[in-house]
Amino acid sequence: MGKIDGKVAFITGAARGQGRSHAVRLAREGADIIAVDTTAKVDSVPYSLATAEDLAETVRQVEETGRRIVAREADVRDSAALADAVAEGVGKLGRLDIVLANAGISSPAPTLEMSDETWQDMIDINLTGVWKSLKASVPHVIKGGRGGAVVITSSLAAIYANPNTAHYSAAKAGLVMLMKVLAKELAPHSIRVNTVHPTTVATDMILNDATYRLFRPDLESPTRAEFEEAARTLNRLPVAVLEPADITNAILYLVSDDAKYVTGTTQVIDAGGSI
């Protein structure tokens, strides 16, 4: 018996990293999955984004659990593509109970020097893209009439300020009030809405040269080990980065009956970084 047997979860940014971790773990706990991600290039992002092969690997790992998955390429900036992907998934899997708005990017830059494109891409993906993802999916949860759960991936950056992250922090902080408003609106439908706020997590969005330089501006070409030296100082617990599974554990709690009365909250998984 899994914690979410027979339910269906829609996950954005599911091709790799936290999204893949969430998809596979929820499948192991009994859920079928609707997974989306995009291979579209975002010029302002200084690292490689997901590939079709990445999404195919998520499909393979979910199917290995014995659960079903409908995976489609869809950019969270594209409302029509999101709506089509969710509708296809619900049509094939029969319902929707859980929404994980996980997709996001990082593009560190000084506040007054970043390009208009860098700012706008961030807001379009990390804030507006979440709203579009919810707009495409949550009505299906409401229509099911069984209640449900929505978890939005925010960040420690919504709580604790670091230089060169104004656009990222603004988007992630905006998600908190989006969550709180939606939690009030959806409460009559027994749909719970919460945010999770991770510190640095060992994914491609973090493990790249741009992030290493963000954490070690004193070095020209910092290594991962040198990045981890700085990252470790931000956390009070003796750890440099969390693993995607650490965030998945919190999300599984939030979408299961273990958290059946938890809504409108900010769940911080930061190794003490916000203290």
Side-chain angles (χ1 to χ4, degrees):
M1 291 291 291
K3 285 184 175 292
I4 48 175
D5 278 337
K7 295 187 177 181
V8 175
F10 170 58
I11 306 172
T12 67
R16 63 186 191 184
Q18 293 183 51
R20 178 188 290 169
S21 175
H22 304 339
V24 175
R25 180 65 183 281
L26 266 58
R28 287 176 181 155
E29 293 291 340
D32 293 327
I33 307 296
I34 304 169
V36 301
D37 213 319
T38 182
T39 60
K41 191 175 187 301
V42 182
D43 290 336
S44 63
V45 174
Y47 56 88
S48 297
L49 298 178
T51 65
E53 291 74 21
D54 290 328
L55 188 57
E57 176 60 17
T58 297
V59 170
R60 186 193 70 79
Q61 291 190 29
V62 168
E63 289 180 340
E64 199 172 53
T65 72
R67 303 307 305 184
R68 298 176 293 168
I69 180 170
V70 176
R72 294 292 177 265
E73 181 169 337
D75 192 316
V76 295
R77 295 171 293 183
D78 186 340
S79 293
L82 288 169
D84 288 346
V86 177
E88 180 182 355
V90 172
K92 290 183 176 180
L93 302 177
R95 58 191 287 171
L96 185 60
D97 308 274
I98 296 164
V99 174
L100 305 183
N102 163 79
I105 59 168
S106 174
S107 54
T111 303
L112 303 181
E113 298 174 18
M114 73 175 71
S115 68
D116 288 4
E117 178 187 27
T118 297
W119 175 274
Q120 197 61 57
D121 286 343
M122 180 63 66
I123 301 304
D124 287 348
I125 294 170
N126 284 23
L127 181 57
T128 306
V130 169
W131 169 70
K132 289 183 177 182
S133 300
L134 300 175
K135 188 179 179 184
S137 58
V138 174
H140 292 278
V141 185
I142 296 172
K143 186 176 180 180
R146 295 174 293 266
V150 176
V151 182
I152 298 169
T153 301
S154 182
S155 171
L156 178 59
I159 301 166
Y160 184 93
N162 283 304
N164 304 314
T165 63
H167 53 335
Y168 183 83
S169 297
K172 293 297 188 179
L175 295 177
V176 174
M177 291 312 296
L178 172 61
M179 173 273 291
K180 288 180 179 292
V181 171
L182 197 61
K184 283 192 172 184
E185 292 179 353
L186 296 181
H189 300 283
S190 296
I191 298 171
R192 301 176 295 100
V193 189
N194 297 281
T195 50
V196 292
H197 297 256
T199 184
T200 49
V201 182
T203 68
D204 294 278
M205 194 181 88
I206 295 297
L207 302 180
N208 59 71
D209 290 340
T211 304
Y212 296 170
R213 289 193 298 270
L214 172 68
F215 278 75
R216 294 301 304 265
D218 55 313
L219 300 175
E220 184 175 344
S221 300
T223 64
R224 175 172 175 175
E226 290 164 335
F227 148 73
E228 289 191 356
E229 288 178 10
R232 193 172 286 108
T233 67
L234 295 182
N235 301 327
R236 297 299 172 260
L237 296 177
V239 61
V241 293
L242 307 186
E243 294 299 324
D246 297 319
I247 316 308
T248 301
N249 289 338
I251 283 178
L252 178 60
Y253 160 72
L254 289 171
V255 303
S256 74
D257 285 344
D258 291 344
K260 61 185 176 181
Y261 299 124
V262 179
T263 192
T265 70
T266 53
Q267 300 287 314
V268 181
I269 312 110
D270 68 345
S274 58
I275 298 174

